[in-house]
Amino acid sequence: MDNIIIAPSILSSDFANLENEIKRLELNGADWVHVDVMDGHFVPNLTIGAPVVKALRKVCNIPLDVHLMIDNPEKYIKDFALAGSDIITFHYEAVKEKTPEVINIIKSYNIKAGISIKPDTKPEEIKDYVNMADLILIMTVEPGFGGQKFMTECSKKAVDIKSYLTKDVIIEADGGINSETAKICKNYGINALVAGNYIFTSTNIKEAINSLRG
Ligand code: DX5
Ligand code: ZN
């Protein structure tokens, strides 16, 4: 796992032209497409659901990295799995001690399972669960909106999480990632980066993606 995975978030893309946006990402070197699902309860914003993931699947040839910022994620995993997600990440704060159960539901569909933590959640809280997951998603902003400022303290959690790992687990950061904050993340051992605003406001997507690889 030497290469950094770049997962542009379509939250900042043109929703009227999603097929073109996906093609643009694929052609310019994105590794995954990050899909932000928000329910207006777990976070104060509403975005998209499984039918949109199903539509994206038809036009997308790279993995769909689905980030569920929703309450009761276990109720919706089937829909998102059957819609064609490759990775489903849920929030620890939404399920707490039910984490192993939720991971097992995701894995029953033969897809990767991720656990995400918000800025106020300490890495110790997920210590017992990290080796059950395929990916740990560290939020480096409060989840809910694109275009927020990166919180360096949050990226440091990767060091603790790595110390708990006994197997290869991807550590992904999400929120406020640009070419500068990407360097900070990589220094702490993060090997997958989500970026919305930085990529979609750039005039050259290829250069923006490459600049995150460093
Ligand atoms: C925020 C989402 C992010 C968001 C990142 O709640 O989980 O994936 O799209 O956006 P930027 O890169 O603009 O901070
Ligand atoms: Zn996200």
Side-chain angles (χ1 to χ4, degrees):
M1 267 200 307
D2 294 321
N3 293 332
I4 299 285
I5 294 163
I6 307 297
S9 163
I10 54 162
L11 188 60
S12 299
S13 72
D14 179 359
F15 274 25
N17 287 296
L18 278 175
E19 181 173 3
N20 287 342
E21 295 288 59
I22 298 284
K23 292 288 156 241
R24 207 150 72 96
L25 294 176
E26 285 178 353
L27 286 171
N28 289 295
D31 298 298
W32 297 348
V33 170
H34 185 84
V35 183
D36 287 305
V37 176
M38 306 187 189
D39 66 352
H41 294 275
F42 183 77
V43 288
N45 195 8
L46 273 172
T47 55
I48 61 169
V52 176
V53 173
K54 190 174 178 185
L56 291 174
R57 179 74 288 163
K58 290 187 195 149
V59 298
C60 182
N61 298 305
I62 56 177
L64 289 171
D65 175 33
V66 175
H67 178 192
L68 300 181
M69 285 161 276
I70 64 175
D71 283 331
N72 305 308
E74 66 281 4
K75 287 190 186 168
Y76 302 94
I77 286 164
K78 182 179 182 186
D79 289 350
F80 283 99
L82 297 181
S85 307
D86 296 278
I87 303 146
I88 296 182
T89 296
F90 62 91
H91 268 268
Y92 165 72
E93 300 85 1
V95 302
K96 295 282 178 84
E97 67 281 357
K98 282 192 289 178
T99 294
E101 194 184 308
V102 180
I103 289 175
N104 285 337
I105 300 172
I106 299 171
K107 289 194 168 181
S108 73
Y109 294 98
N110 280 323
I111 56 180
K112 289 190 166 67
I115 306 172
S116 184
I117 52 172
K118 297 205 287 184
D120 287 342
T121 303
K122 293 184 175 61
E124 298 88 79
E125 294 183 57
I126 58 165
K127 189 176 181 176
D128 292 342
Y129 309 127
V130 290
N131 288 292
M132 298 174 192
D134 300 294
L135 177 149
I136 305 298
L137 173 56
I138 298 171
M139 289 308 301
T140 42
V141 298
E142 278 301 335
F145 301 92
Q148 302 181 77
K149 192 174 178 295
F150 179 80
M151 299 159 86
T152 305
E153 287 306 307
C154 296
S155 60
K156 287 185 189 160
K157 294 177 187 177
V159 176
D160 288 322
I161 287 167
K162 277 191 92 160
S163 75
Y164 309 146
L165 293 176
T166 55
K167 63 186 254 276
D168 258 2
V169 173
I170 297 165
I171 306 183
E172 186 176 43
D174 183 2
I177 303 294
N178 56 38
S179 56
E180 292 310 309
T181 59
K183 282 183 205 147
I184 300 171
C185 290
K186 286 180 280 185
N187 281 338
Y188 289 128
I190 288 164
N191 52 9
L193 297 169
V194 176
N197 208 49
Y198 177 67
I199 288 179
F200 285 100
T201 59
S202 76
T203 47
N204 186 328
I205 282 204
K206 195 179 193 110
E207 272 173 21
I209 290 174
N210 284 338
S211 76
L212 296 178
R213 293 190 198 283

